[in-house]
Amino acid sequence: MREGGRVNRHDPEDAIAEAAKAYSNWGRWGEDDVLGTLNFLTEDKRREGAALVRRGVSFSLSQRFDMNGPQKGWRRRTNPVHTMLATGTDAVLSDLGFPHGIGGADDVIAMPLQCSTQWDGLGHIFDHGKAWNGRPAGQVVTSEGDLVTGIEHMAPHVAGRAVLLDVGREFGDDGELPDGFAITEEHLTQAAAAHEVRVGRGDIVVVRTGQLSRVRREGWGDYAGGAAPGLSFTTAGWLHRTEIAAIATDTWGFEVRPNEFDHAFQPLHQVVIPNMGLLIGEMWDPDALAADCADDGVYEFWLTAAPLPITGAVGSPVNPIAVK
């Protein structure tokens, strides 16, 4: 899979197959499992996370959902379209059929479920026609949605101890990694050591690269699908060995782009979602949290980040809330 400790760029097929076999969690929680690595996030882990709330300060780790977002239409992904169904003007010009002067406003939003801050569900990615836990992809996700591992199953579970690994701060210039920077296991472990925080079973890990900070300053550009810092394919072993419950980044695609293989597309996704059962978050916004962590030196916190329980969805918008 690797030449001299590095990815063999010319052999993605064998590298993916080798990693998928080595880091598979198929059957680990039974043949009917629908949660994957969220099984690591136990009641004890939630109590541990809740005990981290000391100051009571909270941070939203979500980008805004509006038409000024990063999407450019790839695979019909668009930015949210927000439309008012009733407004204050309507109330002023018409009684709207309501008694005693009461009025109100209503609105509707149309958007792809993965157009901004979101979770990738277990039905989002397949490996050679297999979905999470070895199920045939065609029997899992149909035109009716994800019939087995729909993201609604995860809605009660995503809350617990979380850690921030500010890799951008530790290894980037002015807190930002350059596009194409491959974050290795060594980068992750060194960041954890610098932050004096441990990473282990049941944790939710938030990785800050600083790319979102840069595009906020310079414009979206190719943020959605273009070159980006991100996790190296070689981190698959770390992701499996640490037994974390979930991981999220501030980038569009979680893993480094361009990918580390010739003629490949998101190979780390292919290993960690359908084979490992890992919950992945993308396009999160950890900047305000990161500034606070740098200020007080505390990089662990309580995090609640439940997906919307959209029946049969393979992804979901989320507004993660970190509390310290």
Side-chain angles (χ1 to χ4, degrees):
M1 180 172 69
R2 303 183 186 109
E3 297 173 338
R6 304 178 71 178
V7 166
N8 177 0
R9 297 193 60 89
H10 308 296
D11 191 12
E13 287 279 355
D14 283 350
I16 293 168
E18 180 182 334
K21 181 179 180 181
Y23 308 129
S24 173
N25 281 326
W26 287 3
R28 184 168 186 167
W29 298 287
E31 63 180 15
D32 296 327
D33 181 68
V34 295
L35 295 179
T37 55
L38 277 182
N39 284 284
F40 292 132
L41 211 173
T42 62
E43 294 175 356
D44 287 344
K45 200 68 187 180
R46 290 193 188 91
R47 284 194 293 268
E48 180 184 346
L52 296 173
V53 178
R54 295 185 173 90
R55 294 162 53 207
V57 62
S58 61
F59 303 88
S60 170
L61 277 57
S62 179
Q63 297 188 39
R64 293 186 178 181
F65 287 77
D66 58 38
M67 292 182 67
N68 297 316
Q71 298 302 325
K72 300 170 64 177
W74 178 81
R75 291 178 64 87
R76 293 178 285 185
R77 289 186 182 175
T78 60
N79 293 312
V81 177
H82 179 215
T83 304
M84 299 305 300
L85 300 179
T87 70
T89 303
D90 296 327
V92 170
L93 298 180
S94 170
D95 63 11
L96 301 178
F98 296 126
H100 49 72
I102 188 172
D106 279 300
D107 45 6
V108 63
I109 191 166
M111 66 180 186
L113 297 182
Q114 299 185 48
C115 67
S116 188
T117 305
Q118 55 95 20
W119 286 118
D120 282 346
L122 292 181
H124 177 51
I125 298 292
F126 313 124
D127 182 9
H128 290 83
K130 296 292 185 181
W132 161 240
N133 227 17
R135 303 179 179 101
Q139 296 177 20
V140 174
V141 183
T142 73
S143 60
E144 300 295 319
D146 186 335
L147 306 178
V148 181
T149 53
I151 207 158
E152 71 273 13
H153 297 291
M154 295 181 168
H157 301 285
V158 193
R161 179 182 184 266
V163 299
L164 173 70
L165 298 184
D166 195 343
V167 183
R169 178 180 177 84
E170 294 302 319
F171 298 98
D173 293 332
D174 295 324
E176 301 171 9
L177 300 178
D179 292 339
F181 186 102
I183 299 170
T184 65
E185 176 178 338
E186 290 72 26
H187 292 126
L188 295 170
T189 56
Q190 288 179 40
H195 302 335
E196 299 183 341
V197 69
R198 58 178 173 78
V199 177
R201 175 180 285 197
D203 288 331
I204 303 169
V205 178
V206 181
V207 176
R208 181 185 173 276
T209 71
Q211 189 196 31
L212 184 58
S213 305
R214 182 165 63 254
V215 300
R216 278 209 181 100
R217 185 174 64 249
E218 300 176 358
W220 288 116
D222 290 327
Y223 176 80
L231 269 68
S232 168
F233 184 82
T234 62
T235 60
W238 182 87
L239 294 169
H240 184 259
R241 185 172 61 255
T242 53
E243 297 183 333
I244 59 175
I247 188 168
T249 71
D250 56 353
T251 66
W252 172 87
F254 165 68
E255 55 191 284
V256 63
R257 292 182 56 79
N259 300 138
E260 295 157 286
F261 299 97
D262 298 328
H263 310 298
F265 180 74
Q266 303 300 78
L268 188 57
H269 275 66
Q270 190 173 342
V271 171
V272 300
I273 294 180
N275 293 288
M276 197 182 300
L278 180 63
L279 181 60
I280 291 176
E282 294 161 332
M283 294 181 282
W284 287 34
D285 179 3
D287 281 359
L289 171 66
D292 187 82
C293 291
D295 184 59
D296 74 357
V298 177
Y299 284 80
E300 59 180 351
F301 43 90
W302 165 260
L303 181 77
T304 178
L308 298 179
I310 302 169
T311 302
V314 299
S316 172
V318 63
N319 177 23
I321 302 295
V323 187
K324 298 177 65 178

